[in-house]
Amino acid sequence: MSKQYETVIGLEVHVELATKTKIFCSCSTAFGGAPNTHTCPVCTGMPGALPVLNKQVVHYAAKMGKATGCTVNQLCKADRKNYFYPDLPKAYQISQFDVPICENGEVFFYVDGVKHSCRLERIHFEEDAGKLLHDEIDGTIVDFNRCGVPLIEMVTRPDLHSSAEAKEFLEMIKTTLSYLDICDCKMEEGSMRADVNLSVREVGSETFGTRTEMKNLNSFKAIARAIEGERERQIELLEEGRAVVQETRRWDDNKESSHAMRSKEDAKDYRYFPDPDLPPIDISDAWIASIRKAQPELKKAKSKRYQSEYGLSAYDADILTADKALAELFENTIKAGAAPKKAANWLTG
Ligand code: ADP
Ligand code: MG
Ligand code: ZN
């Protein structure tokens, strides 16, 4: 009799915020551009250059936190995460360690009509790194344009159990970002990328299995394939009586297989400490109140309203509200005099 396995997944989702300027300097965040033209002494890590926190980043991160049921830590700070990487010229990344801006949220979503939820452990802000371009003739060249583009990282609890759940969770994150207007959500440009942490355990087991992490997946399809592939690989190991090693693996979506990259690093390896160049962040009650007041109607409420106000099916309402632009088009069509059900059929068909 063969054993039954449960997949356990936690995601770390990185989202590039749609601010005009970078997180600690006034360079442009525009995608592309000639290499190393959106740069200055701050974002290229010149000695003595001082970062100044972009207030919009704090605002956007808090908006996302409020929309996902998080507590906003009104007193928080920026920390240095030390590591060397060729596209991170300071040799540390400014991030948040023990006091993230938002904590303890929950995101609800549906898979085949069944409601699921995934808890958010935290949301913190941090700076993106540059990009390495591997060229056959010139070798590896570095473009610092992306260095210092603001990111939020959302870390989930290990509450997801399949590629379908991971996909619908991410779709809901994407929808929420679009409603809040804080990210362009262009996954093909890397605006949203996820690290997949995955383990398997025998159904009924109380303890988690050993997990692996696959970093920087930037399409829903790649994420789904990586989950399927890694689940199979781990089950095979266990069936052979071997152990899963806790490590970071690189998923190669073309080969549809993964290989080990490095053993998993621990928080202590990064030697986090508060960034001495940045004062602590103190968010006022009034600011939090204004964020709450300005929150737009989100997908869930909108979908309910479409059903009660326009008599749409849950299915149609769900499709129309999945994207802010589509919902706006639907509402404008009705305002212009169209019958709601007819408009819904046209727009979803
Ligand atoms: P680290 O700081 O080493 O990256 P965390 O404890 O913060 O580790 O967890 C990172 C991610 O891994 C989270 O999304 C979490 O839900 C997930 N995770 C933790 N343990 C497991 C496990 N046994 N199986 C699957 N995912 C896990
Ligand atoms: Mg991690
Ligand atoms: Zn700059």
Side-chain angles (χ1 to χ4, degrees), residues 150-189:
L151 297 174
I152 48 173
E153 175 172 345
M154 284 170 266
V155 182
T156 80
R157 301 262 175 204
D159 290 348
L160 301 164
H161 299 286
S162 66
S163 54
E165 286 181 29
K167 175 173 188 292
E168 293 308 325
F169 166 80
L170 289 167
E171 290 282 7
M172 185 53 93
I173 292 290
K174 199 175 161 190
T175 300
T176 308
L177 292 165
S178 88
Y179 274 80
L180 297 175
D181 228 353
I182 60 176
C183 171
D184 67 18
C185 296
K186 290 183 185 157
M187 289 186 81
E188 66 287 359
E189 291 182 2

Side-chain angles (χ1 to χ4, degrees), residues 46 79 108 156 158 194 201 213 259 270 272 304 333 335 337:
M46 294 297 151
D79 299 282
F108 298 92
T156 80
R201 62 177 172 185
E213 181 176 28
H259 58 264
Y270 291 119
Y272 282 97
K304 275 206 173 132
T333 311
K335 268 194 207 129

Side-chain angles (χ1 to χ4, degrees), residues 22 28 36 41 77 183 185 205 228-229 248 268 301 339:
K22 292 186 179 180
S28 165
N36 301 305
K77 64 188 171 77
C183 171
C185 296
S205 161
E228 301 300 335
T248 301
K268 65 176 188 309

Side-chain angles (χ1 to χ4, degrees), residues 1 9 15 22 34 87 113 155 212 227 235 245 262 266 272-273 316 332:
M1 202 181 80
I9 302 162
V15 169
K22 292 186 179 180
D87 57 10
V155 182
T212 59
I227 287 173
I235 290 175
V245 178
R262 55 171 188 258
D266 261 329
Y272 282 97
F273 62 86
D316 283 349
N332 288 334

Side-chain angles (χ1 to χ4, degrees), residues 8 10-12 121 155-158 197-199 208-209 211 264:
V8 175
L11 298 176
E12 294 163 87
E121 186 179 311
V155 182
T156 80
R157 301 262 175 204
N197 296 272
L198 187 147
S199 63
F208 286 132
R211 74 174 192 272
K264 178 87 183 87

